Amino acid sequence: MDLIALLGLPLDANSSFLLGCEHGPAAIRESLLSASGNDANEASVNVTSLIEDMGNVAVDNERGSFLDADAITGAVDEQLAAGRQIISLGGDHSVTYPILRAFRAHHAELTVVHIDAHPDMYDDLDGNPLSHASPFARALEDGCVTTLVQLGIRTATQHQVEQAARWNVTMLSPRQLDRFDPATLHGPVYLSVDLDGLDPSCAPGVSHHEPGGLTVREALDVIDALPGPLVGADVVELNPTRDLNNMTAMVGAKLVKEIAGAMVARR
Ligand code: MN
Ligand code: MN
């Protein structure tokens, strides 16, 4: 059985408010391997045996760096060319655009399900086209995404509402979560989880606290409901400098475990 590739993307230079996400991959890995729990996911599958950790992608972590973006695209492309499913660990959310560029070369159509407090579709924020507030604008412009469904959005500016209309994006707030209908989605599917999509009470280790978010169980239910094949996923925006007793890192690791199980179940 092909192993799922785990890639760390230690980049936070495209963050707009706080640094710290650079250390996200290490914190999630530590929680994944923590002796506080065991290796089984909720389907009683041992998860680390499904995953091969490819280490961190070498990046300079410089603001607006297309070289860093190219390094990420190249590393993801290498795994996709080998026929592997990929789970990437952020890093700030800017990493998702270069990831999706790599997927474009391998998947003519791609449904992206995106959990986040924010739509991340700014045409421009602070003059940085690679900002963590813009990855989905860039990915849509470049034709990397066929269908984009956003869940947990609760602070869309009028500009971002217009961007969603322009690209026919389905944007659902936590209040509208029951309108999420996975039966209408077609694979292959990519899942992008910004940990600030969850409520800060269960995921405080993020740079942008936005109360009123998803519970961990609601996020797990989304993973459970995704149609296959689930070809890739990322868990981003963990900022360990803001975390409390590593609880957000543990949430990130939990998501990785259930995503890995879903990937194997739905190849
Ligand atoms: Mn966010
Ligand atoms: Mn985001």
Side-chain angles (χ1 to χ4, degrees):
M1 184 177 70
D2 283 331
L3 296 177
I4 297 161
L6 188 73
L7 284 179
L9 307 174
L11 191 143
D12 60 11
N14 292 313
S15 299
S16 57
F17 180 57
L18 293 176
L19 299 179
C21 289
E22 176 190 359
H23 305 292
I28 292 178
R29 283 190 182 98
E30 193 179 317
S31 288
L32 203 53
L33 302 173
S34 168
S36 77
N38 65 44
D39 196 30
N41 69 5
E42 296 194 359
S44 299
V45 173
N46 278 5
V47 169
T48 55
S49 64
L50 305 176
I51 292 173
E52 182 173 2
D53 191 346
M54 309 307 292
N56 285 350
V57 175
V59 289
D60 295 326
N61 195 21
E62 284 176 11
R63 184 181 188 271
S65 169
F66 282 90
L67 283 176
D68 281 354
D70 288 347
I72 294 169
T73 302
V76 172
D77 179 70
E78 197 178 312
Q79 298 305 320
L80 290 174
R84 288 179 146 179
Q85 295 158 296
I86 302 172
I87 302 174
S88 301
L89 307 178
D92 67 45
H93 216 156
S94 70
V95 300
T96 301
Y97 166 52
I99 291 170
L100 291 176
R101 277 196 317 194
F103 274 81
R104 181 183 54 186
H106 296 269
H107 296 286
E109 301 204 336
L110 188 66
T111 294
V112 176
V113 176
H114 166 209
I115 295 175
D116 204 322
H118 315 91
D120 292 355
M121 290 190 292
Y122 277 103
D123 184 43
D124 177 75
L125 189 78
D126 304 330
N128 178 8
L130 298 178
S131 167
H132 75 154
S134 300
F136 294 94
R138 299 293 90 81
L140 287 157
E141 285 163 3
D142 281 8
C144 307
V145 180
T146 320
T147 302
L148 178 59
V149 179
Q150 302 185 313
L151 306 174
I153 309 298
R154 53 196 184 278
T155 176
T157 62
Q158 206 52 50
H159 166 65
Q160 303 228 55
V161 171
E162 287 161 13
Q163 294 282 80
R166 176 181 165 196
W167 281 301
N168 206 18
V169 173
T170 300
M171 185 191 282
L172 300 177
S173 70
R175 178 185 289 157
Q176 298 167 321
L177 203 58
D178 59 351
R179 293 192 210 164
F180 173 56
D181 184 4
T184 62
L185 302 180
H186 303 283
V189 174
Y190 184 94
L191 174 67
S192 182
V193 182
D194 181 330
L195 287 165
D196 72 29
L198 302 180
D199 194 75
S201 61
C202 57
V206 296
S207 298
H208 303 261
H209 288 163
E210 193 64 44
L214 271 57
T215 64
V216 175
R217 181 52 52 188
E218 283 171 329
L220 295 173
D221 286 346
V222 169
I223 294 168
D224 257 351
L226 295 175
L230 183 54
V231 290
D234 59 60
V235 178
V236 301
E237 293 284 342
L238 171 64
N239 186 340
T241 68
R242 303 263 279 172
D243 209 358
L244 302 172
N245 295 326
N246 299 321
M247 62 188 280
T248 314
M250 194 56 89
V251 169
K254 170 83 173 172
L255 295 173
V256 168
K257 288 170 77 169
E258 299 309 320
I259 289 167
M263 282 181 161
V264 169
R266 277 162 266 159
R267 279 200 149 124

